[in-house]
Amino acid sequence: MNLTAIEKRLLNEFQHDFPLVPRPYAEIASSLGVSEEFILEALEKLQKAKAISRVGAVFTPNRVGVSTLAAMAVPEDRLDEIAGIVSEYVEVNHNYEREHDFNLWFVLTAANEEHLQDVIGDIEENTGYKLMSLPLQEDYHIDLGFNLQWT
Amino acid sequence: MKTVQLSDKDGTQLLDEQDKALISLIQSGLPICSRPYQSLGEQIHMTEDEVIARIQRLQETGCIKRMGVIVRHRELGYRANAMVVWDVPDEKVSEVGNCLSQFEFVTLCYRRPRCLPDWPYNLFCMIHGHSREEALQNLEQMIGQCKIESEHKVLFSRRCFKQRGAVYQPEADSEFAGTIAAPRQTNGAR
């Protein structure tokens, strides 16, 4: 992906401390020396190009609602189909194939434990595979975003 | 019935209905327009000032970890992304976790339960590199600097089937259902 210097700064310098003022994009624009319109267009372009998933909040796990990391061991020839079923759940927010016998990994979030357990049961029933649930016990990482290095 | 729980450290602080409505809205992202907080407020009968004040409070109380641009590593040249899992003795897991978290190429680091006999690993982190070689070099650096002797496995990501913000309130339970959840869809493999 070809990025301009402004786009690179937009991606790297605004992953946290998003301005809490009525016109936050105008504030970002002024610190980058461009117009608000320019920033709005750039963000839309970056979102379309899938360089950003959104401008938004990352919630602290288990402070608002509950979550778990789930893994399943699915035969290779059924992985597409099973991953498709899993992705359809609104409670699933990340769903990846990984290199391991446990080859399908996804995060489940719900408003409460009861609902989370219901969804786990439902996924097992709909896919026919057992789900390993690994809820978070301790978070060591202070999330300030990611310092992108351009090659 | 189904409510958003805020398990605050002292257990006393709870989110009110308006907080929950706001959280539901911002989970899928802030609008990209000149007055995003005003636009959010219009959807839940809240003034722009109140939206800003409530988001500020959610940050201060630690409900929101960070707010800003959420980047997608893979599309930005980080082709090699791996979950590295470690089997660390219980008494050392915090020390190792804190050490791993310092590295710039680490984006998450969590302790999770083992699930024996299938899964002996209790420490999880995500590492990122432009190539597998770079990611594995990063891993060697971590092992050396944190002096880790525990067994580990590297689970490189292959396909991403879905990536989006968390949805804590299922559609059926929210009075603002129409606004919180994108249509159910499966992202194509890349």
Side-chain angles (χ1 to χ4, degrees):
Chain A
M1 188 177 299
N2 286 322
L3 297 165
T4 65
I6 293 285
E7 285 167 346
K8 288 179 181 178
R9 290 189 62 190
L10 188 54
L11 288 171
N12 245 346
E13 296 171 27
F14 299 93
Q15 294 182 30
H16 58 94
D17 291 323
F18 191 79
L20 284 170
V21 296
R23 292 175 59 192
Y25 300 109
E27 187 166 309
I28 290 173
S30 119
S31 74
L32 292 177
V34 293
S35 70
E36 182 185 32
E37 192 58 31
F38 186 95
I39 292 297
L40 295 175
E41 277 172 19
L43 286 170
E44 268 168 18
K45 182 197 138 191
L46 290 168
Q47 197 162 25
K48 257 193 204 119
K50 298 201 157 106
I52 61 173
S53 66
R54 63 192 185 281
V55 177
V58 175
F59 290 90
T60 304
N62 301 331
R63 292 289 296 276
V64 185
V66 294
S67 66
T68 194
L69 177 67
M72 293 171 107
V74 181
E76 199 64 41
D77 60 348
R78 294 203 60 198
L79 189 58
D80 274 342
E81 173 203 350
I82 300 298
I85 296 172
V86 168
S87 291
E88 279 184 28
Y89 284 84
V90 73
E91 293 86 353
V92 170
N93 64 63
H94 283 79
N95 187 17
Y96 280 85
E97 178 187 2
R98 298 194 186 284
E99 294 177 4
H100 193 271
D101 289 341
F102 284 102
N103 54 355
L104 190 63
W105 291 79
F106 47 96
V107 177
L108 285 172
T109 55
N112 58 39
E113 191 61 36
E114 183 196 353
H115 184 77
L116 188 70
Q117 294 306 323
D118 285 351
V119 175
I120 289 173
D122 202 62
I123 290 176
E124 288 184 325
E125 200 179 308
N126 274 338
T127 58
Y129 293 98
K130 205 171 151 31
L131 181 159
M132 178 169 75
S133 174
L134 303 166
L136 184 154
Q137 292 176 319
E138 202 170 347
D139 184 356
Y140 302 109
H141 188 256
I142 297 162
D143 189 357
L144 293 174
F146 186 77
N147 183 17
L148 295 158
Q149 310 281 336
W150 314 102
T151 51
Chain B
M1 195 184 76
K2 283 174 176 163
T3 53
V4 174
Q5 296 166 341
L6 173 57
S7 43
D8 213 31
K9 284 216 167 73
D10 60 11
T12 54
Q13 192 174 9
L14 291 170
L15 298 170
D16 66 22
E17 289 303 314
Q18 282 175 297
D19 283 327
K20 292 182 207 170
L22 183 59
I23 287 168
S24 294
L25 273 185
I26 57 179
Q27 279 169 166
S28 47
L30 290 185
I32 297 174
C33 63
S34 183
R35 305 280 290 268
Y37 303 116
Q38 183 184 59
S39 160
L40 289 174
E42 279 166 4
Q43 299 173 59
I44 48 175
H45 313 294
M46 208 182 274
T47 65
E48 184 179 47
D49 286 347
E50 194 177 353
V51 170
I52 291 173
R54 282 181 184 269
I55 292 177
Q56 188 149 23
R57 200 167 58 81
L58 289 170
Q59 290 183 345
E60 284 163 4
T61 56
C63 274
I64 291 177
K65 214 172 176 183
R66 70 176 164 99
M67 198 166 84
V69 175
I70 315 286
V71 303
R72 300 172 68 127
H73 300 97
R74 209 185 272 226
E75 279 70 13
L76 290 165
Y78 287 81
R79 303 272 164 213
N81 304 294
M83 184 172 81
V84 185
V85 296
W86 317 77
D87 175 12
V88 182
D90 288 342
E91 65 278 10
K92 289 193 78 174
V93 65
S94 292
E95 182 192 327
V96 177
N98 285 322
C99 186
L100 296 182
S101 297
Q102 302 166 34
F103 293 90
E104 224 174 25
F105 48 80
V106 170
T107 49
L108 294 171
C109 188
Y110 295 139
R111 182 165 67 89
R112 299 182 183 278
R114 295 183 180 86
C115 199
L116 298 170
D118 299 330
W119 191 258
Y121 308 103
N122 60 342
L123 185 61
F124 294 61
C125 68
M126 281 300 303
I127 65 171
H128 306 272
H130 291 93
S131 64
R132 283 175 90 100
E133 294 67 35
E134 186 185 295
L136 292 171
Q137 277 168 16
N138 288 344
L139 177 62
E140 286 310 310
Q141 190 191 343
M142 293 163 87
I143 291 172
Q145 258 174 259
C146 297
K147 300 185 176 67
I148 308 175
E149 289 164 7
S150 309
E151 198 214 328
H152 69 271
K153 278 262 183 305
V154 184
L155 285 75
F156 276 104
S157 311
R158 281 188 187 143
R159 282 175 291 175
C160 170
F161 296 108
K162 187 178 188 182
Q163 185 191 351
R164 56 163 297 158
V167 174
Y168 290 100
Q169 285 191 297
E171 280 174 279
D173 293 327
S174 169
E175 58 183 307
F176 303 104
T179 56
I180 60 160
R184 291 186 174 201
Q185 61 176 37
T186 309
N187 291 344
R190 292 188 297 271

